[in-house]
Structure formats: C-alpha cells, structure tokens
Amino acid sequence: MITRLAKKIGALSEIRDTDPGFSDLAALLTGIKPVLYTDFDGADWPYLKDLCLKLKMEYLLPEALFGRKGFKAAPKYGKKMLLIGRKKKDLEAAAASWGRAETTREWGLLLGYPPCCVDAYLDWKENYSERTDLIRRTHELTPAAKKYHFGLNNVCNFFSRLTPGDAALYRKVGDINYKKGFPLANMHVISWHPCSYACKKSAAAADKIFSFFKVYLPEHAAMLRAVLARPVLVYGKYEFLSFEGKVVKDELRFSGVGAPYSLMDSPLRPGALKLSAVARLGAGRPAGKEPFLLNFSAK
Ligand SMILES: [Zn+2]
C-alpha cells in the first residue's frame, strides 16, 4: 500500500508501508538508527532504489558480498536483503557483522538499538525463549509502575520473537487484525523490543519516532496512539485483551476489547474491575501462565 506523506521529505512525497516499515524508516531519518535492514521482493527494487535516491541514502546488498549464510538470509519467500543508511562505512560494518554470525550484540548495536535492549533481547533468546515469550520476560524485568509509555507497547509486534511452531497462530492473528484494518507489520512505534517497559532510551526514541509520524504520517500516528495507548491484559503470546478504556485509581474501566486483536475472547464483562481483582485472575493457573496487566497509557 502506498501512503502519501503529509509533508515531503526531500524529494519524497509517498512511501510504501512495508519493506521497510514506517518505524524503521522514521528511526533512520531521525538519526536513531544509522542503518536499517529489510528484506524485499526483487520486483520492488526500482521502488527501493528510488527511495534511497530521494532520501539521499546509501544502500548495500549484503548477500552480494557474503552470500546467504547470515541468519537473515534464510531464503524466505525468495526475498533479498538490503541495508540502507546515511554512511557507506556504517553499511559496510553492518554487512560484515551480518556475514560473520547470527544475531549478535555487534549486529544489534550497529543497527542502532539501545545496548540495554540488545543485551536483554539476547539474554531472552539464549536463556528463556523456548519456554517464555518475550513480552512476559520483559514484564518480569519491568519495575512496577502505574503506567508505561505507549510507544513501548510491543504486544502485537511479533518480529524477532516467533518460534518454529508459531507459523499457524501468527498467520491467524495477523489475518484477524488485517481484516479489521490493522496490519500488524506497522503496529508499533519502536521496531525493536525494549529491555523493560520502563526503558528510558527506548522511551526517548519512541518520542522522536512518534513526533516524526505526527508530522509526516499523521493518520498513522493517530491510529497508533488509539490502539497502543491502552491497558493490555496479557495471558500469552496470542492471548491478550487490549481494552478500550483506562486505569483510574485502583480500577480498570473499559467499554470493550479493541485492536490489536488476539486469538482469545474476553472472559471479562465491560465495566469496572478492581486492580486487585485483575491480579487475582491468575489464581489456579499454572506458574508462568498468569495474566498480567500492562497499562500503556503514559504520554
Ligand atoms: Zn533498554
């Protein structure tokens, strides 16, 4: 899908919504990320070349240098890999890192993700990913607070946290949201996973990216705020309730469940629910399956 920018960026007046996604492009253009990587379909090459030209960005095709052995080179749907950035040397360093090894700290840092978030992600991947979803792990690492920055809501960002058995469920949740007008690929402010929902570096980046959206993609910004700035009750990776409502004092008040949609139906009737009652919802459930509330209504 092509979206017209509310204001031109250099010579650019419209952009596609995927490959690269809105968030990555915004992070690159606001200087948060020195390099973005994306995979792309061969037929989209003219668009991408033109995009780089109009934005005065350099690009590099790592597979041409390092073959397909890097972790991102899994021949997914026959797509190719592309790195885009302001400086050739950043692209070369990222390509060399990509050619050397799988998901590493170096690769994460070269792409501009906060070091704290890179470390937490790698720790999860190595030590927890087989039994605990990243959202639950991130919640465990988050200091308790009344609310968190909506720009860090990654409940429906499934990038980099899918496991081999997930394909069917992921497709299902993607389809449900797509049919209702919410393509999951762009339903996030920051494209990476924060180390905690209180990560200051990620929150600062989210502010910058969201300000960019407000100027250039105002409708997208409004949609994101509407669906991400909500209290979410998370039961599991594909089971969460994104409430149309808010937390007021010690109560969750909501009129229904809205986007992003998960695969579960709400067992809760709209109205007001004491937070202490929300906390008791986990009683009787196995350890690690208790639901938890993430109130993404800050900002
Ligand atoms: Zn962090």
Short mmCIF file of all heavy atoms in Angstrom, two decimals, residues 37 72 121 124-125 134 157-162 193:
data_model
loop_
_atom_site.label_atom_id
_atom_site.label_comp_id
_atom_site.label_asym_id
_atom_site.label_seq_id
_atom_site.Cartn_x
_atom_site.Cartn_y
_atom_site.Cartn_z
N TYR A 37 17.86 -2.56 8.14
CA TYR A 37 17.88 -3.67 7.21
C TYR A 37 16.45 -4.07 6.92
O TYR A 37 15.56 -3.92 7.76
CB TYR A 37 18.69 -4.85 7.75
CG TYR A 37 17.93 -5.72 8.72
CD1 TYR A 37 17.14 -6.77 8.25
CD2 TYR A 37 17.98 -5.50 10.08
CE1 TYR A 37 16.42 -7.56 9.13
CE2 TYR A 37 17.27 -6.28 10.96
CZ TYR A 37 16.48 -7.31 10.47
OH TYR A 37 15.76 -8.07 11.34
N LYS A 72 19.86 -13.83 8.55
CA LYS A 72 18.69 -13.23 7.92
C LYS A 72 18.54 -13.69 6.48
O LYS A 72 17.64 -13.29 5.78
CB LYS A 72 18.80 -11.70 7.96
CG LYS A 72 18.61 -11.14 9.34
CD LYS A 72 17.18 -11.29 9.78
CE LYS A 72 17.02 -10.84 11.22
NZ LYS A 72 15.71 -11.23 11.75
N TYR A 121 17.47 -8.63 24.99
CA TYR A 121 16.93 -9.48 23.92
C TYR A 121 17.77 -10.74 23.76
O TYR A 121 17.24 -11.86 23.68
CB TYR A 121 16.85 -8.70 22.60
CG TYR A 121 16.42 -9.59 21.46
CD1 TYR A 121 15.09 -9.95 21.31
CD2 TYR A 121 17.36 -10.13 20.58
CE1 TYR A 121 14.69 -10.81 20.30
CE2 TYR A 121 16.98 -10.99 19.57
CZ TYR A 121 15.65 -11.33 19.43
OH TYR A 121 15.27 -12.20 18.44
N TRP A 124 17.24 -13.13 26.61
CA TRP A 124 15.96 -13.85 26.44
C TRP A 124 16.12 -14.95 25.39
O TRP A 124 15.73 -16.10 25.62
CB TRP A 124 14.85 -12.88 26.01
CG TRP A 124 13.64 -13.61 25.53
CD1 TRP A 124 12.69 -14.23 26.30
CD2 TRP A 124 13.27 -13.85 24.17
NE1 TRP A 124 11.76 -14.84 25.50
CE2 TRP A 124 12.08 -14.62 24.20
CE3 TRP A 124 13.81 -13.48 22.93
CZ2 TRP A 124 11.44 -15.05 23.03
CZ3 TRP A 124 13.18 -13.90 21.76
CH2 TRP A 124 12.00 -14.67 21.81
N LYS A 125 16.71 -14.60 24.27
CA LYS A 125 16.82 -15.55 23.17
C LYS A 125 17.62 -16.79 23.59
O LYS A 125 17.25 -17.92 23.28
CB LYS A 125 17.50 -14.86 21.98
CG LYS A 125 17.29 -15.62 20.68
CD LYS A 125 17.63 -14.74 19.49
CE LYS A 125 17.59 -15.55 18.20
NZ LYS A 125 16.28 -16.12 17.90
N LEU A 134 8.73 -13.36 24.98
CA LEU A 134 9.49 -12.15 25.30
C LEU A 134 8.68 -11.10 26.07
O LEU A 134 9.21 -10.40 26.93
CB LEU A 134 10.03 -11.55 23.98
CG LEU A 134 10.88 -10.30 24.07
CD1 LEU A 134 12.10 -10.49 24.97
CD2 LEU A 134 11.35 -9.89 22.68
N ASN A 157 3.80 -6.81 18.26
CA ASN A 157 4.99 -6.82 17.38
C ASN A 157 5.64 -8.20 17.51
O ASN A 157 6.30 -8.50 18.49
CB ASN A 157 5.97 -5.72 17.81
CG ASN A 157 7.19 -5.67 16.91
OD1 ASN A 157 7.32 -6.49 15.98
ND2 ASN A 157 8.09 -4.74 17.17
N PHE A 158 5.40 -9.03 16.50
CA PHE A 158 5.86 -10.41 16.57
C PHE A 158 7.23 -10.61 15.93
O PHE A 158 7.77 -11.71 15.95
CB PHE A 158 4.82 -11.35 15.93
CG PHE A 158 3.56 -11.43 16.74
CD1 PHE A 158 2.47 -10.61 16.45
CD2 PHE A 158 3.45 -12.29 17.82
CE1 PHE A 158 1.31 -10.66 17.20
CE2 PHE A 158 2.30 -12.34 18.59
CZ PHE A 158 1.22 -11.53 18.28
N PHE A 159 7.80 -9.54 15.39
CA PHE A 159 9.13 -9.66 14.79
C PHE A 159 10.13 -10.14 15.84
O PHE A 159 10.12 -9.67 16.97
CB PHE A 159 9.64 -8.31 14.25
CG PHE A 159 8.90 -7.82 13.04
CD1 PHE A 159 8.25 -6.60 13.06
CD2 PHE A 159 8.85 -8.58 11.87
CE1 PHE A 159 7.56 -6.14 11.94
CE2 PHE A 159 8.16 -8.12 10.76
CZ PHE A 159 7.51 -6.90 10.80
N SER A 160 10.99 -11.04 15.45
CA SER A 160 12.09 -11.50 16.31
C SER A 160 11.66 -12.19 17.59
O SER A 160 12.45 -12.34 18.51
CB SER A 160 13.03 -10.33 16.69
OG SER A 160 13.41 -9.62 15.56
N ARG A 161 10.40 -12.60 17.69
CA ARG A 161 10.03 -13.40 18.86
C ARG A 161 9.14 -14.57 18.48
O ARG A 161 8.46 -15.16 19.31
CB ARG A 161 9.41 -12.54 19.97
CG ARG A 161 8.09 -11.89 19.65
CD ARG A 161 7.63 -11.05 20.85
NE ARG A 161 6.37 -10.40 20.60
CZ ARG A 161 5.18 -10.83 21.04
NH1 ARG A 161 5.09 -11.91 21.76
NH2 ARG A 161 4.09 -10.16 20.78
N LEU A 162 9.15 -14.91 17.20
CA LEU A 162 8.41 -16.09 16.75
C LEU A 162 9.27 -17.32 17.01
O LEU A 162 10.49 -17.24 16.96
CB LEU A 162 8.08 -15.98 15.26
CG LEU A 162 7.08 -14.89 14.87
CD1 LEU A 162 6.92 -14.84 13.37
CD2 LEU A 162 5.74 -15.11 15.54
N HIS A 193 12.50 -4.56 20.52
CA HIS A 193 11.85 -4.91 21.79
C HIS A 193 12.62 -4.26 22.94
O HIS A 193 13.83 -4.43 23.05
CB HIS A 193 11.81 -6.42 21.95
CG HIS A 193 11.00 -7.09 20.87
ND1 HIS A 193 9.63 -6.93 20.77
CD2 HIS A 193 11.36 -7.87 19.82
CE1 HIS A 193 9.19 -7.61 19.72
NE2 HIS A 193 10.22 -8.18 19.12
#
